[in-house]
Amino acid sequence: MVQASYHFPRGFLWGTATAAHQVEGNNTNNQWWQWEQTGHTNGTSGLACDWWGGRWREDFDRAAEGGQNAHRMSVEWSRIQPTPDTWDEDALEHYRLMLRGLRERGMTALVTLHHFSDPLWLYEQCGWETEAVIPLFEKFVRKVVGALKEYCTLWCTINEPNVYALSGYVAGTFPACNKGLNIAMRVQANMLRAHAAAYRAIHEIQPESRVGYALHYRPMKAKNAWSPLDVWMRNIQYNGINMAFPSAISTGVMKSPLGSVRIPEAKGTQDYLGLNYYSVDTVKFDITNPNEMFGRRYYPADSDLSTTKFIANIPEGIFDSIKWAVRTYPNLPILITENGVEDAEDKMRPRYIAQHIHQVWRAVNFNFPVKGYFHWSLVDNFEWERGWTQRFGLWALDLETQKRTKRPSADLYAEICKENGLTSEMVQKYCPEVFDKLFPV
Ligand code: IFM
């Protein structure tokens, strides 16, 4: 049998990613909590992983023992600024403790400042729909960065602005004040303006900081490459879903299906690109689907599908995403800020991890500047409108008892992190079904 390995450069960041509302528990003062209590989600976040109660310590121990040298976490705006006029210094101290906890465990922190949740007071004034949010976000960012700068130099302003805007204001699966594609685009424009203001504020407070955002990037392909309608629809969907932030950061003009918006202050406001990659969509023209601009995005029937069919395992997609990033922003460092699969039984996850990390390795070997990989996620956590029906953790969570149980993927990922690479022995041990694909003779 072939014996070989795919090694990464020294200093590569290996971690997992989490978000405050998904792990902390009892975040009663944000719009998601309210949305959950009114029956919009599959279960409620409740105590989640009880990180606010202190269980972050044991989970950080798990991550560190698993060889991880980095962690991406977020801070909860509604805890830090519970009303427009109050700052909760204890909440900031809680995050300082967590960040010190990472440092003590030898882990680099990447802190996300906005990950889908808004304080209720902001939501009640329709949050990101109006430009009023821009100075409010900047003020919040200044406060947080001022308080946490001793422990963190790597910042992510906003997580998946495209998902936040389209899920809320178009699909209606996330809480949103009003609805409409025009509002979703206005929200993204305001997020861009707020991101640009935050980018400058962070650099002012901490000149050595590296600031970016996390883009949920969806590669897409037309169902039939010969069909002008499928190709046209693929391009509409691809640009509409992916391109608002990247276009504005490249050129200062936000591309949108409803026209362009000048946001000159956004141009060049990233020191790295955060890429969240999960899967690739196939797109066809569908006259019966006006809600999605007459397109349909789906996974072909022969795809390697996850348990709830939420994700198709398409590892080449992460390579293509990185290639797109390098072509769009030559020389800009790239972090894979999320990648993972929901799989309570851990049947697909080991091969999903091995195959995606192999593709990241391929990219690194093309000298594409990928500097780190953050797996989503460390422990099962609250999956927004899907609640607890999807389990993304390397560790399983029993919600009743808070007990964590290690999945085989946690051991595989630990071996990868400790080795700084993927070996044929690991693949043979955890996912022999893809051995020939990863180590062809
Ligand atoms: O859990 C989410 C995360 O909050 C944002 N990106 C996708 C993940 C999996 O659904």
Side-chain angles (χ1 to χ4, degrees):
M1 183 171 309
V2 181
Q3 278 204 318
S5 59
Y6 301 120
H7 277 99
F8 284 72
R10 206 172 312 133
F12 194 82
L13 295 179
W14 292 105
T16 46
T18 54
H21 187 72
Q22 295 179 266
V23 291
E24 285 180 355
N26 285 330
N27 270 328
T28 57
N29 193 25
N30 68 28
Q31 94 283 32
W32 269 96
W33 187 269
Q34 190 186 60
W35 187 245
E36 292 161 29
Q37 312 313 311
T38 45
H40 291 93
T41 52
N42 233 314
T44 57
S45 55
L47 200 57
C49 310
D50 194 25
W51 278 22
W52 202 256
R55 287 185 207 263
W56 58 267
R57 289 188 181 81
E58 50 171 292
D59 288 334
F60 283 4
D61 284 344
R62 292 185 174 97
E65 281 156 19
Q68 296 174 37
N69 60 12
H71 185 73
R72 174 179 175 223
M73 55 175 262
S74 80
V75 292
E76 174 61 30
W77 191 349
S78 66
R79 286 194 186 273
I80 294 171
Q81 195 178 6
T83 70
D85 306 317
T86 46
W87 298 109
D88 186 334
E89 296 296 336
D90 290 344
L92 285 166
E93 185 52 31
H94 175 100
Y95 290 119
R96 264 195 295 268
L97 256 177
M98 288 180 73
L99 291 173
R100 206 176 304 144
L102 287 177
R103 181 169 291 173
E104 284 161 5
R105 290 166 180 80
M107 295 162 82
T108 298
L110 164 53
V111 172
T112 304
L113 294 153
H114 184 275
H115 193 125
F116 294 167
S117 52
D118 297 312
L120 265 180
W121 58 263
L122 179 67
Y123 184 64
E124 278 156 11
Q125 59 191 62
C126 289
W128 294 89
E129 287 183 38
T130 76
E131 293 197 13
V133 69
I134 301 161
L136 294 173
F137 185 63
E138 182 183 338
K139 195 170 153 197
F140 164 69
V141 167
R142 283 184 181 276
K143 181 76 181 175
V144 174
V145 174
L148 306 184
K149 63 175 193 266
E150 188 185 342
Y151 301 107
C152 177
T153 54
L154 191 52
W155 304 94
C156 170
T157 56
I158 301 180
N159 178 69
E160 298 184 347
N162 50 349
V163 173
Y164 176 91
L166 297 169
S167 305
Y169 298 87
V170 181
T173 50
F174 280 23
C177 212
N178 294 295
K179 275 183 79 176
L181 184 58
N182 56 335
I183 304 181
M185 288 304 157
R186 201 197 306 148
V187 163
Q188 289 193 78
N190 287 334
M191 287 186 141
L192 269 160
R193 296 182 183 110
H195 158 84
Y199 178 87
R200 294 197 172 85
I202 299 171
H203 276 288
E204 199 185 297
I205 298 168
Q206 191 186 49
E208 72 278 22
S209 58
R210 285 157 300 154
V211 186
Y213 74 103
L215 172 69
H216 186 114
Y217 181 75
R218 277 321 267 200
M220 293 185 201
K221 63 180 197 356
K223 175 174 191 272
N224 296 306
W226 46 261
S227 157
L229 276 180
D230 285 355
V231 172
W232 176 65
M233 188 44 63
R234 179 264 171 208
N235 292 343
I236 289 185
Q237 298 274 337
Y238 175 86
N239 288 326
I241 287 173
N242 291 309
M243 290 313 289
F245 257 65
S247 58
I249 290 183
S250 293
T251 65
V253 178
M254 182 185 91
K255 260 204 201 166
S256 131
L258 305 175
S260 300
V261 183
R262 285 191 68 250
I263 309 182
E265 69 270 33
K267 190 171 172 188
T269 52
Q270 63 184 1
D271 305 320
Y272 70 90
L273 177 65
L275 267 184
N276 293 1
Y277 169 81
Y278 287 88
S279 198
V280 178
D281 289 325
T282 300
V283 185
K284 65 178 179 188
F285 177 75
D286 184 348
I287 193 79
T288 67
N289 199 21
N291 291 343
E292 286 177 59
M293 297 183 291
F294 300 103
R296 194 169 292 280
R297 294 186 289 120
Y298 67 102
Y299 300 133
D302 60 351
S303 306
D304 182 14
L305 289 177
S306 62
T307 345
T308 68
K309 304 187 172 28
F310 189 62
I311 287 167
N313 176 24
I314 308 179
E316 308 75 40
I318 200 167
F319 180 86
D320 293 342
S321 305
I322 295 167
K323 191 162 77 183
W324 164 80
V326 172
R327 289 194 175 152
T328 312
Y329 308 108
N331 301 321
L332 187 74
I334 296 164
L335 290 173
I336 305 301
T337 33
E338 286 180 27
N339 173 242
V341 64
E342 98 287 359
D343 181 10
E345 304 287 311
D346 211 45
K347 293 218 167 79
M348 174 196 275
R349 190 180 287 103
R351 71 172 173 275
Y352 185 98
I353 291 177
Q355 290 181 283
H356 283 76
I357 285 175
H358 171 241
Q359 293 292 332
V360 175
W361 174 86
R362 273 187 67 216
V364 170
N365 277 275
F366 273 89
N367 273 334
F368 295 165
V370 187
K371 304 296 180 195
Y373 172 92
F374 293 82
H375 187 75
W376 187 275
S377 183
L378 179 54
V379 189
D380 288 341
N381 56 51
F382 180 71
E383 269 298 323
W384 310 111
E385 80 282 12
R386 288 152 277 131
W388 297 99
T389 58
Q390 295 187 340
R391 303 293 178 133
F392 276 87
L394 294 174
W395 291 73
L397 172 73
D398 181 330
L399 264 176
E400 301 295 314
T401 61
Q402 283 292 324
K403 184 171 177 278
R404 277 79 165 144
T405 306
K406 191 159 46 147
R407 295 194 166 107
S409 286
D411 284 327
L412 167 61
Y413 193 54
E415 289 191 31
I416 293 170
C417 297
K418 289 176 187 170
E419 179 70 30
N420 196 24
L422 176 74
T423 68
S424 48
E425 286 83 357
M426 293 173 197
V427 173
Q428 186 56 36
K429 182 164 155 198
Y430 294 99
C431 44
E433 71 277 16
V434 291
F435 190 92
D436 293 344
K437 282 190 179 151
L438 294 181
F439 298 98
V441 271

